[in-house]
Amino acid sequence: MSRFLSERRKDLVPYTPGEQPKDMKYVKLNTNESPFPPSSKALKETKKAVGKLNLYPDPECKALTQKIAEMCGVDTSEVLVTNGSDEILNFAFIAFCDDKTKAVFPDITYGFYPVFADINNVPYEEIPLKDDFTINIDDYCGINKNIFIANPNAPTGIQISLADIEKILKTNPENIVVIDEAYVDFGGESAIPLIKKYNNLLVTQTFSKSRSMAGARLGFGVACSELISDLNTVKYSTNPYNINSMTMSAGMGVLSDNKYTRNNCKKIIENREFTVRKLEVLGFSCTESFANFVFVKHKSISGKELYLRLKEKGVLVRHFDKERITDYNRITIGDRKQMEFLIAKIKEILEEK
Ligand code: PMP
């Protein structure tokens, strides 16, 4: 820490991204990336954009906003495109939360929420999930706070129903409800249609997972036009050119190749089912995941030990040093070969014990 760091930032605990060690070749199942390359159409469009890098990108991101709006069945005024969905989540904390309007989210969820709250000086509360890691919906009804829920949740993969989301929306009409749908394309149901009925709903999605574009940094939010307008004020007050030209073009490309995306999601779902079946035979219990990862615990090997042993054998999974989930590991679903390799290494580890 330098002597110049602001007093306000001294206690800031940053978000810890999944590790990316370079000491050997790993099967990387720790950051919920897609194992599949980006669509060839995304690559083709990106190449075209490179020749125009002398110019600033379109700050309104018009063409891509239009395409996303069409995909979601909403108006362009109801969409904001951002630099990953992390950016729109941060914008939501900046735009809607303050001392008077606290933020709440589950105690076990996406680790960036408390960081966004802290950097923006937003007081927050973490509501404990039940013992089985499901949400007690009543905990979120009529609470007069801004609510952030990942659906499906991370790192558990568990989802809540649209009926439950509506219950939360209805009972908190003076507050924002953010539904973070980073993983919705792997078997979840989107709350986007509800934005027509509830002007306090913001739904966020990403191109990082189902669309194989984590490296491009592209996400978006869908909400009534008034909320989008507020979020745009934040965008134009921080980074008007938040989407670079190459990413914009790649986004257009991948959206013209929905068949590729759908097919990849189908493969991930099949591989998830395959992995859960194999893991259960080996003595693991798995939460019911609707995401591109599974959250698993073994009856006799600790979460930390399994993570470390897998790393030695060339497989990276995500272990969180957090009290209630220390027995667990979050394992990204890759292609079939990667999952077979994972299972083989776990078998070895269990036999060596
Ligand atoms: N929400 C959740 C629940 C996530 O796990 C992630 C990925 N780390 C994000 C949002 C952000 O993803 P991105 O910024 O790549 O869109």
Side-chain angles (χ1 to χ4, degrees), residues 108-122:
I108 298 163
T109 189
Y110 184 32
F112 224 141
Y113 300 155
V115 181
F116 288 138
D118 281 338
I119 187 102
N120 296 307
N121 303 316
V122 169

Side-chain angles (χ1 to χ4, degrees), residues 74-315:
V74 300
D75 191 73
T76 50
S77 63
E78 295 167 326
V79 175
L80 177 62
V81 187
T82 54
N83 192 307
S85 53
D86 279 340
E87 189 177 50
I88 195 151
L89 291 166
N90 189 31
F91 286 176
F93 277 89
I94 296 174
F96 306 120
C97 304
D98 56 29
D99 284 345
K100 276 192 261 154
T101 317
K102 278 192 196 171
V104 295
F105 34 84
D107 63 337
I108 298 163
T109 189
Y110 184 32
F112 224 141
Y113 300 155
V115 181
F116 288 138
D118 281 338
I119 187 102
N120 296 307
N121 303 316
V122 169
Y124 65 89
E125 220 173 86
E126 294 176 304
I127 301 182
L129 291 177
K130 291 193 244 175
D131 286 344
D132 63 358
F133 300 142
T134 58
I135 282 184
N136 181 10
I137 296 300
D138 290 339
D139 287 346
Y140 293 83
C141 290
I143 56 173
N144 293 319
K145 289 170 195 127
N146 287 342
I147 295 165
F148 291 78
I149 292 179
N151 193 40
N153 196 10
T156 63
I158 295 171
Q159 73 167 343
I160 58 171
S161 69
L162 292 191
D164 282 341
I165 292 173
E166 279 210 74
K167 210 170 150 196
I168 295 171
L169 285 161
K170 266 188 206 151
T171 56
N172 295 283
E174 301 307 317
N175 287 90
I176 295 299
V177 179
V178 178
I179 302 294
D180 172 353
E181 295 186 346
Y183 301 103
V184 75
D185 296 327
F186 304 101
E189 192 179 5
S190 177
I192 286 176
L194 296 179
I195 67 138
K196 301 285 180 197
K197 215 165 143 190
Y198 298 96
N199 62 9
N200 57 335
L201 170 64
L202 168 64
V203 180
T204 63
Q205 289 194 10
T206 181
F207 282 57
S208 298
K209 318 291 177 185
S210 57
R211 297 184 184 86
S212 301
M213 276 182 42
R217 312 305 303 125
L218 190 60
F220 62 94
V222 185
C224 71
S225 57
E226 290 81 7
L227 290 189
I228 293 297
S229 167
D230 294 341
L231 292 161
N232 255 313
T233 303
V234 176
K235 165 185 150 165
Y236 282 95
S237 308
T238 49
N239 189 8
Y241 303 111
N242 60 342
I243 313 296
N244 73 68
S245 319
M246 291 177 294
T247 292
M248 231 180 259
S249 298
M252 293 295 285
V254 74
L255 288 186
S256 66
D257 202 359
N258 283 330
K259 205 169 141 204
Y260 180 72
T261 302
R262 267 201 310 274
N263 203 21
N264 285 344
C265 291
K266 196 169 149 257
K267 284 191 220 162
I268 294 292
I269 293 169
E270 283 164 10
N271 289 347
R272 182 178 70 208
E273 286 163 2
F274 164 84
T275 307
V276 167
R277 273 199 309 274
K278 295 281 180 191
L279 288 174
E280 283 178 348
V281 172
L282 292 173
F284 285 87
S285 47
C286 313
T287 56
E288 190 187 11
S289 173
F290 289 86
N292 67 339
F293 55 82
V294 288
F295 196 52
V296 306
K297 165 174 115 160
H298 193 260
K299 58 180 191 247
S300 57
I301 184 165
S302 79
K304 182 84 179 257
E305 188 183 351
L306 180 65
Y307 152 73
L308 289 171
R309 297 282 288 119
L310 278 171
K311 190 172 172 184
E312 281 166 18
K313 289 179 182 286
V315 182

Side-chain angles (χ1 to χ4, degrees), residues 64-79:
L64 185 55
T65 304
Q66 174 76 43
K67 239 181 151 58
I68 292 173
E70 275 165 26
M71 173 179 78
C72 298
V74 300
D75 191 73
T76 50
S77 63
E78 295 167 326
V79 175

Side-chain angles (χ1 to χ4, degrees), residues 316-331:
L316 290 178
V317 299
R318 188 88 197 246
H319 180 257
F320 298 90
D321 254 327
K322 198 171 167 170
E323 204 188 320
R324 288 183 71 195
I325 54 173
T326 187
D327 289 341
Y328 285 79
N329 280 295
R330 189 195 70 191
I331 305 176

